[in-house]
Amino acid sequence: MTGAAGSIGQVLLPGLIDRGHEVVGLDRVPQPEGHEGPWYTLDAADPDAVAAVFDEEPVDGVVHLAGHPGEASLPDSLTSHVVTTAALLDALVEHHVPRFVYASSNHAVGRTPHRDLLTVGTRPRPDTFYGVGKVAAEAVMSLYADRYGIDAVSCRIGSFLPQPESVRTLSTWLSHDDCVRMFDAALTAPAPGYAVLYGISANTRAWWDLEPGRALGYAPQDDAEDFADRVASSPEDETEAAHVGGPFATEGIHRPALDRA
Ligand code: 15L
């Protein structure tokens, strides 16, 4: 598991262990206090460092969570999301590891306007350079699935939070427990090939298609509606509701692709 010390990793690592998986943690930072299992401190964008882990550890799948979780320059986004994905997939091929599960994001299609049900067949429509990185990482996964027969599942995560915090997240929330259920299903579904699913809970207000996840065995149990009376409305609600990506699809996030001196 890359990004094992990150916000999702800190929940998913113990969650998958509870479900019977043996997990090797990998992150740029040392293992969190209390974690006893195998751990590698390295940058997943470094192909030699990544390959060295696969030489040591006979894994049967990779969960790739590592990556900067917000907007950045285009080169930084490509390194963070695409280069890391490619370095891992090269190692998978070399070591005959059959499964790759990726923490992609709704921001891969974040500029899609809010109309009818959002399907996984919709065109890539990133809202940021972050989203461009996620689209391109998914493209590398698709390439490696076609070329080498790797089972590659891309989980386009909504809003991973302990609880929904805004009106938008009443639709896009992914609870901690559902996140563990989703990654467990993506790791164990028989022969998914290249697959994309939306990573949200069974939210009453959801408008992203949950069927592709259900087809892989992801059965979400939680519903953001249980928290609705604790979520205050805000002046941003209307603009955030206009597109899949909410605040990432608004002008406030615009920046040039490249940093200049
Ligand atoms: C994401 O992919 C981001 O990493 C996170 O910061 C949130 O913006 C989340 O999506 C979301 O859309 O709520």
Side-chain angles (χ1 to χ4, degrees):
M1 177 185 296
T2 73
S7 59
I8 297 181
Q10 285 185 42
V11 171
L12 195 55
L13 180 69
L16 288 180
I17 291 171
D18 282 351
R19 285 178 165 245
H21 295 271
E22 288 173 45
V23 185
V24 178
L26 189 157
D27 206 298
R28 289 194 297 191
V29 300
Q31 62 204 78
E33 219 163 292
H35 175 70
E36 305 270 308
W39 190 271
Y40 293 82
T41 304
L42 56 86
D43 188 339
D46 176 345
D48 296 320
V50 167
V53 177
F54 283 73
D55 290 339
E56 291 280 315
E57 302 284 348
V59 298
D60 51 21
V62 167
V63 175
H64 183 27
L65 308 176
H68 175 62
E71 183 60 321
S73 71
L74 182 60
D76 286 351
S77 298
L78 296 180
T79 301
S80 188
H81 308 296
V82 191
V83 174
T84 57
T85 297
L88 289 159
L89 285 168
D90 274 347
L92 259 81
V93 171
E94 196 184 327
H95 291 82
H96 309 285
V97 178
R99 177 98 26 145
F100 186 80
V101 179
Y102 184 48
S104 184
S105 167
N106 72 90
H107 299 291
V109 290
R111 266 281 169 170
T112 312
H114 185 167
R115 290 203 192 98
D116 305 323
L117 184 72
L118 177 77
T119 67
V120 295
T122 192
R123 76 164 159 95
R125 205 162 178 179
D127 52 20
T128 43
F129 300 116
Y130 169 66
V132 170
K134 294 301 189 188
V135 168
E138 289 185 354
V140 180
M141 290 168 62
S142 171
L143 175 68
Y144 277 61
D146 287 338
R147 268 190 185 166
Y148 305 110
I150 287 173
D151 286 315
V153 181
S154 183
C155 304
R156 288 182 183 160
I157 296 172
S159 306
F160 173 81
L161 296 165
Q163 296 181 12
E165 292 174 350
S166 63
V167 170
R168 171 177 179 260
T169 58
L170 291 174
S171 305
T172 63
W173 185 52
L174 175 65
S175 74
H176 285 187
D177 287 348
D178 280 339
C179 182
V180 175
R181 290 182 187 105
M182 176 181 72
F183 277 96
D184 191 20
L187 279 167
T188 55
Y194 175 70
V196 176
L197 60 93
Y198 288 113
I200 55 175
S201 288
N203 303 322
T204 300
R205 302 188 199 191
W207 55 284
W208 305 351
D209 194 359
L210 273 165
E211 287 314 309
R214 291 191 197 281
L216 295 183
Y218 168 46
Q221 306 288 306
D222 297 321
D223 184 346
E225 211 57 28
D226 296 342
F227 300 88
D229 57 357
R230 283 175 248 173
V231 172
S233 56
S234 115
E236 279 81 51
D237 291 344
E238 204 179 316
T239 43
E240 290 198 358
H243 295 91
V244 170
F248 281 31
T250 61
E251 222 175 292
I253 201 135
H254 294 187
R255 53 152 296 151
L258 304 178
D259 290 326
R260 295 173 57 187

